[in-house]
Amino acid sequence: MTTNKEKETKIFSATKNEQEFLIRICTLDDLDAVIEVNERELPEDYPYFFYKNILDDFPEGFLIAQNKQGKIVAYIMWRVEKAPSINSLKYVNKAHLVSIAVAEGYRRRGIATTLLSNSMKSIKKYKIHEYVLEVRVSNYSAIRLYEKLDYKIESTKKNYYRDSENAYFMLLTV
Ligand code: ACO
Ligand code: ZN
């Protein structure tokens, strides 16, 4: 069992931002700030209980980045699902990227890359076979970010978003 206190103090290495940003598992106290980042940066918003359920179920996949002043500037959250594998009918554990966002003034410093790679590592304990995500076909920066981490476009999901934009379904098999 991991206690909340341990979660709070768990520090992940943060590549080139080591001096500037702290990457750690989200806590209940952080949720309002996470929601604020989400609502400012993404049109896909969720109710409080949605974040809370993900935090309760998969805390290792729910990371935040905070600056020296303690301000939360980015988050990532994953959900783990049992579903048929892309390559076979076998049921496998898939990690589904629910959402990632970095506040506007903090981008292009490797924060998203660090959040992604650290969270993918820390959810390995669920014996993940596939990492999957959807991204707007127009979201060039995010697509580049995922491609840099070896995700490949697997298919297009038509009218995936509320405004009817298509999504790329991207996949990384391990
Ligand atoms: N233009 C081109 N490439 C970019 C850009 C950009 N504006 N931003 C990131 N990239 C690519 C680059 O290849 C970059 O590597 P480089 O800087 O060495 O060239 C690579 O992504 C990694 O960049 P990071 O600095 O790690 O990414 P950042 O911390 O800036 O965050 C993110 C990227 C999350 C896409 C950010 O722009 C953001 O929050 N956007 C708004 C929210 C969003 O679109 N989230 C993803 C939605 S999809 C989902 O949540 C499943
Ligand atoms: Zn999804």
Side-chain angles (χ1 to χ4, degrees):
M1 264 298 282
T2 323
T3 65
N4 274 334
K5 200 67 222 161
E6 282 171 69
K7 277 181 212 161
E8 271 171 43
T9 51
K10 191 155 189 178
I11 296 167
F12 293 87
S13 65
T15 58
K16 60 184 170 186
N17 323 292
E18 213 144 23
Q19 286 84 39
E20 274 180 278
F21 299 97
L22 170 68
I23 309 277
R24 60 167 174 80
I25 291 179
C26 185
T27 68
L28 218 45
D29 290 341
D30 301 321
L31 278 190
D32 288 334
V34 166
I35 292 172
E36 217 177 293
V37 173
N38 167 271
E39 290 185 349
R40 197 166 304 141
E41 309 303 340
L42 277 171
E44 287 70 46
D45 301 334
Y46 316 95
Y48 183 88
F49 75 85
F50 179 87
Y51 294 89
K52 171 139 189 332
N53 287 349
I54 291 185
L55 184 57
D56 286 344
D57 293 345
F58 312 110
E60 310 79 3
F62 199 152
L63 307 185
I64 58 99
Q66 66 187 162
N67 70 7
K68 272 188 180 146
Q69 290 73 44
K71 182 182 156 69
I72 292 183
V73 300
Y75 69 87
I76 187 167
M77 50 179 178
W78 293 87
R79 189 164 56 206
V80 180
E81 306 159 347
K82 242 197 166 40
S85 150
I86 290 281
N87 306 309
S88 73
L89 292 174
K90 229 176 68 189
Y91 270 71
V92 296
N93 281 345
K94 292 188 189 206
H96 193 135
L97 179 58
V98 178
S99 186
I100 179 172
V102 177
E104 181 115 39
Y106 296 88
R107 295 185 186 162
R108 272 338 249 287
R109 306 187 198 191
I111 294 180
T113 305
T114 307
L115 284 174
L116 261 168
S117 53
N118 282 339
S119 59
M120 285 171 65
K121 246 178 253 152
S122 60
I123 55 178
K124 270 191 183 155
K125 65 173 234 191
Y126 294 104
K127 310 244 182 300
I128 305 296
H129 287 244
E130 290 166 9
Y131 295 90
V132 299
L133 64 91
E134 292 92 9
V135 58
R136 286 177 182 269
V137 297
S138 66
N139 195 347
Y140 177 75
S141 348
I143 296 165
R144 280 299 302 139
L145 162 74
Y146 304 136
E147 283 176 341
K148 267 196 137 171
L149 286 158
D150 266 353
Y151 285 77
K152 302 280 188 283
I153 296 174
E154 172 72 20
S155 58
T156 302
K157 294 189 179 181
K158 296 273 180 211
N159 304 316
Y160 183 77
Y161 296 97
R162 243 179 309 175
D163 60 8
S164 83
E165 185 169 346
N166 294 345
Y168 286 135
F169 177 65
M170 297 186 75
L171 167 72
L172 175 65
T173 306
V174 287

